[in-house]
Amino acid sequence: MHVTAFGQHRLEATAPWGLIQKRAEEKVTASDKTHSPTDLAHFAMLSRGNCWLSVEGIPKPIPLTGGDCILLARGTSIVMRDSLRTRPRLSFREIGARAKSNVAHYGGGGAPTTIVCGSLSFDRANLKPITQLLPRFILIKADEARTLALHKTMQALASEMAEQAPGSEVVATRLAEVLFIQALRAHIASEWEWRNQGWLRAIFDPQVGAALNAVHDSVSTPWTVESLAAAATMSRSAFAVRFKELLGQTPLEYVTEWRMQKAMQLLQQRDKKLIDVARSVGYESDAAFSKAFKRVVGANPGEYLKRGA
């Protein structure tokens, strides 16, 4: 994935204050490009003060303190406020539009809270949207493992986007990629009950994860349900049921999608013959490969390259 940060600003809030983000309010435009509903995530770090976070689908509000970070997949509705008694009146999008020199002010003049927030776009074409690959909500507490590097990256990113010095856009993009990886590392190291959701849940399953790693390590192997079950040290039937439960698709559907994902990356290099790409992902003929590619991606390899030109 190619990750780009945009729309970053610092919110200086004073109590009482409350913000809401709903699915219908997430249309975001960056660099004159409107992103599709599948390639965005939002991040925030509480750098000063305390507040409450309510996330759709999680019963209890979550208290946040200085240093806590959150990463949200697009379509995740949240409320952030100084007190559970405060009624949110503005959206994050409205506050972002108010920002001047990347700083926004909001609230009633009471206790201060500072939040650094922004969005990430994922520019590389992916068969599955980010919301299916990762949990819709990631919380990294300030006292958890790997947070020091994450906080330093967040601060560096905020500085680059605030100063707008020569080369800031390039540096900010690189920092956004690092930020995303560090957030995932900290999330994986956490003990939060919603850690193992989505694709990560399958990866960390001891048996299904072993089968997935086998596919990732050798995409050209002629995998069957039997051979994948053997890699998972499970019976064929038990493996097929568990795999479908975790990933929502059959083992061979996953193998085909992974092959096409790798093929998309190879095709974008534009220096390989079609038959070489086909053989790299386990197909003996370019015709069989092209047929599978069109079924999964929705276009044949040539059409796919023209579409992305």
Side-chain angles (χ1 to χ4, degrees):
M1 297 179 185
H2 291 173
V3 186
T4 303
F6 66 94
Q8 177 152 336
H9 59 277
R10 187 176 79 247
L11 169 61
E12 298 291 351
T14 53
W17 61 272
L19 295 172
I20 188 169
Q21 178 164 290
K22 295 182 178 179
R23 299 177 188 179
E25 296 173 342
E26 283 201 83
K27 186 176 181 181
V28 182
T29 301
S31 303
D32 298 324
K33 173 187 175 183
T34 301
H35 294 268
S36 69
T38 61
D39 63 357
L40 288 178
H42 308 287
F43 63 88
M45 181 182 76
L46 197 69
S47 62
R48 177 179 64 162
N50 302 276
C51 70
W52 288 90
L53 173 69
S54 299
V55 182
E56 181 183 22
I58 297 177
K60 295 182 179 180
I62 302 166
L64 299 181
T65 58
D68 291 350
C69 299
I70 61 173
L71 185 67
L72 303 167
R74 187 185 178 97
T76 305
S77 297
I78 67 167
V79 174
M80 192 176 287
R81 48 193 165 173
D82 69 297
S83 167
L84 295 178
R85 297 186 297 271
T86 302
R87 181 179 178 182
R89 299 187 180 278
L90 294 178
S91 68
F92 282 87
R93 185 182 180 190
E94 290 171 322
I95 286 295
R98 290 184 177 189
K100 295 181 179 180
S101 298
N102 292 329
V103 178
H105 296 271
Y106 172 54
T113 300
T114 301
I115 303 171
V116 176
C117 48
S119 298
L120 302 174
S121 68
F122 301 86
D123 294 328
R124 180 180 289 278
N126 287 282
L127 290 173
K128 286 189 178 295
I130 192 68
T131 51
Q132 292 183 31
L133 293 174
L134 302 174
R136 58 189 179 85
F137 168 61
I138 291 175
L139 169 63
I140 303 102
K141 299 293 290 182
D143 57 354
E144 288 179 5
R146 300 183 182 273
T147 56
L148 179 60
L150 177 67
H151 295 155
K152 287 184 176 180
T153 302
M154 182 78 82
Q155 291 163 1
L157 181 57
S159 176
E160 286 295 335
M161 299 192 77
E163 295 179 6
Q164 296 298 301
S168 286
E169 184 175 345
V170 176
V171 175
T173 295
R174 300 294 182 268
L175 287 173
E177 293 179 339
V178 174
L179 172 71
F180 181 65
I181 294 169
Q182 288 176 336
L184 291 182
R185 284 177 173 174
H187 173 66
I188 291 167
S190 75
E191 297 298 330
W192 288 91
E193 61 183 83
W194 50 83
R195 181 187 74 161
N196 287 334
Q197 297 178 2
W199 186 76
L200 284 179
R201 183 184 176 196
I203 282 291
F204 284 99
D205 183 271
Q207 294 173 300
V208 173
L212 292 178
N213 284 329
V215 174
H216 300 165
D217 289 342
S218 183
V219 68
S220 61
T221 295
W223 293 107
T224 64
V225 178
E226 288 80 3
S227 61
L228 289 170
T233 63
M234 298 176 69
S235 70
R236 182 187 187 283
S237 57
F239 171 73
V241 170
R242 180 65 175 161
F243 195 99
K244 185 73 177 285
E245 176 188 345
L246 291 177
L247 288 156
Q249 61 186 157
T250 68
L252 295 186
E253 286 173 343
Y254 183 91
V255 170
T256 301
E257 281 197 0
W258 183 262
R259 286 173 170 168
M260 295 308 110
Q261 188 69 62
K262 299 296 288 185
M264 289 162 65
Q265 297 175 4
L266 292 172
L267 288 169
Q268 288 170 351
Q269 296 176 13
R270 297 179 182 270
D271 62 349
K272 295 182 180 294
K273 295 180 179 179
L274 188 60
I275 186 60
D276 294 331
V277 172
R279 288 172 178 167
S280 295
V281 296
Y283 290 86
E284 290 300 322
S285 71
D286 52 8
F289 166 70
S290 295
K291 184 178 180 180
F293 190 92
K294 185 170 185 177
R295 185 178 71 252
V296 175
V297 180
N300 63 43
E303 293 169 341
Y304 168 75
L305 288 174
K306 289 179 182 178
R307 191 172 62 188

